Amino acid sequence: MSLFQAGSGFNPDRTSSIAAAVLLGISANVSFIIQPGLVGGFVEVLGLSEEAAGQLAAMEMFGVAIATILLSVASLRVNWRVSLAVFALIAVLGNYFSANAAGMDQLSQARFLAGFGHGGLISLSFSAIGLTTRTDRNLGIYLTALLSYGALGLLFMPFLLDTIGINGLFIAFGIAALMALMALPFMPSGPKNEAEVEIATGPMQWRLLLPTLLGFLCYNISQGIAWAYLFLIGISGGLEEQAVANAMFISQVFGVIGAILAVVISAKVFGRFGPITLGVLGGAAFIALLMPGFTYIIYLVAVCGFNLAWNKVLPFLLAAIADFDVRGRVMSFALAIQMGGLAIGPYIASQVVDDGNYFAVELASVLFFVVGYVLLIIPIMAHQHILRARAAT
């Protein structure tokens, strides 16, 4: 059997398949999950302005977004294993060129290329999880592993910048992209066929899916606005760089706790209204804590609450979207929208940031949170009602 073709007995719910998707997710998100520290490094090490650093992060995320959009369109027609190998090699090249870039223009282009490669890997990893039966639980496992890496990465970011520098980080990202190839034999070749779907799903509820996806876009724009600048926000408040790194490390630990909560709290028992409401509006509230100015304790509470809310609610949101089509096709569209929002967010932030004053950045994040919640909660709950009625017949 070809390495690029899964056998007829392939099961996405096997432990090996889930572990492969998690490994792929870490390789794919290796730079994004430590983006606040990386943006801080662009400013502190490369001497870029806050605006330029945000635009550089946005270039990478636009590469991620374009890759996920292409895969969302082509996911039914391309072999996922072949795509994994291609995107892994593109990510390696992008990170190599980043480490050897001469000037801002070359670095921007290289980060876009690296983002394109990593974006394809991100989409494939989430799509593989989307095929599993217990999507929200497995997404929680995925995020727990990813955030554990992110916590250590942010904690040691000042040390890494002092020792291996930005270029060394780019090389490390390239090595991580190569690790994605280890997942190849355990990944699906594509989405499920009609015959593989155990339950009847009924027609796609586009009138509910479209506003849900729009709300998911707004939610991720709010996340992207805040996440890219959280490190610099801390420094702007007079905190020491290592103190900010420590706070971000602790926040990632709370992110892990949030992901574990998503594993423990079953949507089938508790429903989705409570977790989604607390997660989305809670994220807005924690960012709002930073707007009047802050002490170290307030900053610590805000970033920890932000990460806890983000990683607790994300599995519920993605699982709710996946429920619109259990063949796994919608998940790739959701990932394209997520990465698009996470790319648009830093760009918006870079346009409203005011020379070390981040009030407008924080306000924009809060507003997108609130709009996203309204657009999300109404159609998601309506669709849950349809699913319950269908199951009762």
Side-chain angles (χ1 to χ4, degrees):
M1 183 184 301
S2 170
L3 179 64
F4 296 106
Q5 189 65 45
S8 58
F10 177 82
N11 184 354
D13 288 313
R14 283 181 182 157
T15 301
S16 58
S17 300
I18 296 170
V22 171
L23 171 64
L24 179 58
I26 295 173
S27 301
N29 289 278
V30 65
S31 61
F32 166 70
I33 202 66
I34 59 171
Q35 189 182 75
L38 195 60
V39 171
F42 293 157
V43 174
E44 300 295 325
V45 177
L46 298 184
L48 300 180
S49 66
E50 291 95 337
E51 178 182 356
Q55 290 175 350
L56 192 57
M59 282 297 293
E60 179 175 347
M61 292 310 300
F62 277 122
V64 171
I66 290 174
T68 55
I69 290 169
L70 288 177
L71 271 180
S72 71
V73 173
S75 63
L76 295 179
R77 295 185 293 275
V78 300
N79 184 300
W80 289 8
R81 292 190 177 190
V82 173
S83 299
L84 188 158
V86 171
F87 281 110
L89 294 177
I90 292 174
V92 170
L93 288 174
N95 285 298
Y96 172 79
F97 291 141
S98 297
N100 293 276
M104 182 65 177
D105 288 343
Q106 286 189 15
L107 182 56
S108 294
Q109 294 165 8
R111 293 319 296 158
F112 177 86
L113 183 64
F116 185 81
H118 284 287
L121 299 179
I122 290 170
S123 180
L124 291 168
S125 66
F126 273 98
S127 294
I129 293 292
L131 293 180
T132 63
T133 303
R134 300 183 64 183
T135 305
D136 42 6
R137 186 207 66 168
N138 293 328
L139 283 170
I141 294 171
Y142 177 114
L143 292 173
T144 299
L146 180 60
L147 290 165
S148 298
Y149 150 74
L152 294 175
L154 287 171
L155 177 65
F156 291 108
M157 181 60 72
F159 171 77
L160 293 172
L161 291 174
D162 287 340
T163 52
I164 64 175
I166 292 290
N167 289 342
L169 284 175
F170 291 148
I171 294 297
F173 296 160
I175 295 172
L178 275 178
M179 290 174 54
L181 297 176
M182 296 170 59
L184 199 59
F186 308 99
M187 292 292 291
S189 299
K192 291 181 179 180
N193 298 318
E194 290 285 357
E196 297 177 287
V197 178
E198 296 83 1
I199 60 174
T201 60
M204 190 82 79
Q205 299 291 327
W206 288 106
R207 65 184 178 83
L208 299 177
L209 177 59
L210 291 178
T212 300
L213 293 178
L214 181 58
F216 194 53
L217 174 64
C218 292
Y219 172 76
N220 283 286
I221 289 174
S222 66
Q223 295 290 144
I225 289 172
W227 182 241
Y229 279 94
L230 273 182
F231 202 95
L232 290 176
I233 287 172
I235 293 175
S236 73
L239 304 180
E240 295 293 330
E241 183 177 348
Q242 187 59 57
V244 173
N246 293 342
M248 294 300 296
F249 163 74
I250 297 171
S251 81
Q252 290 289 73
V253 174
F254 274 81
V256 171
I257 294 172
I260 292 173
L261 286 174
V263 175
V264 174
I265 300 173
S266 171
K268 293 182 180 179
V269 177
F270 293 94
R272 291 200 168 114
F273 179 82
I276 289 175
T277 298
L278 291 174
V280 178
L281 296 185
F286 285 114
I287 293 300
L289 277 179
L290 299 172
M291 294 172 68
F294 52 86
T295 63
Y296 177 76
I297 296 300
I298 292 176
Y299 179 78
L300 180 63
V301 169
V303 296
C304 288
F306 173 82
N307 240 329
L308 175 69
W310 184 1
N311 293 286
K312 183 182 74 66
V313 77
L314 184 58
F316 286 95
L317 290 175
L318 288 173
I321 293 171
D323 278 350
F324 281 88
D325 174 31
V326 296
R327 285 184 61 191
R329 297 169 296 176
V330 174
M331 183 64 86
S332 60
F333 284 99
L335 261 294
I337 288 170
Q338 180 182 16
M339 295 307 157
L342 293 173
I344 294 169
Y347 179 78
I348 291 175
S350 72
Q351 299 305 299
V352 300
V353 67
D354 183 22
D355 193 23
N357 185 343
Y358 295 94
F359 180 85
V361 172
E362 295 153 356
L363 179 60
S365 178
V366 170
L367 290 176
F368 273 102
F369 266 122
V370 174
V371 172
Y373 173 75
V374 173
L375 290 171
L376 282 165
I377 199 64
I378 297 173
I380 283 177
M381 297 314 298
H383 188 246
Q384 291 300 296
H385 178 74
I386 292 173
L387 292 180
R388 284 193 295 268
R390 188 178 295 156
T393 58

